[in-house]
Amino acid sequence: GVITAAYGVVEQIFLADITHKISRGSDIGRYAMIIGVLSSIFTIVGGFFVGAIPFRPMFLLLGILFILDTIPLFFLTEEQITQKNKHV
């Protein structure tokens, strides 16, 4: 509940920041549709994996995957946004 609510606010702010004002509604709608469709597909795929692979190996595999997935985050740099280079 609380995490979903906080994530939703940040998500909407980010989407509003990266979209153009003219097409913002259709861009956010497209994003919501893609997330909904992919969530449905990956729920089915996840259900298949739960039935096909025992819990312990899946838990270890996903743990290793999440650790490897965070490594690139340590090498990212952020660009400082100023009035000159702010994209509207």
Side-chain angles (χ1 to χ4, degrees):
V2 173
I3 292 173
T4 303
Y7 176 77
V9 170
V10 172
E11 177 185 43
Q12 294 300 320
I13 290 170
F14 177 71
L15 289 172
D17 192 38
I18 64 170
T19 56
H20 296 287
K21 192 173 186 177
I22 301 264
S23 62
R24 187 166 291 148
S26 63
D27 291 340
I28 292 175
R30 190 177 306 113
Y31 170 81
M33 181 194 66
I34 290 169
I35 293 297
V37 169
L38 289 179
S39 295
S40 299
I41 291 170
F42 287 120
T43 299
I44 294 168
V45 171
F48 169 75
F49 281 129
V50 166
I53 301 173
F55 177 76
R56 186 174 297 269
M58 180 59 75
F59 184 82
L60 293 173
L61 176 69
L62 289 176
I64 292 168
L65 180 67
F66 288 148
I67 290 170
L68 292 175
D69 191 42
T70 59
I71 290 172
L73 294 176
F74 294 109
F75 300 102
L76 291 177
T77 59
E78 286 191 43
E79 178 183 323
Q80 185 69 23
I81 297 178
T82 61
Q83 287 299 82
K84 282 191 225 176
N85 64 355
K86 186 174 180 176
H87 305 290
V88 178

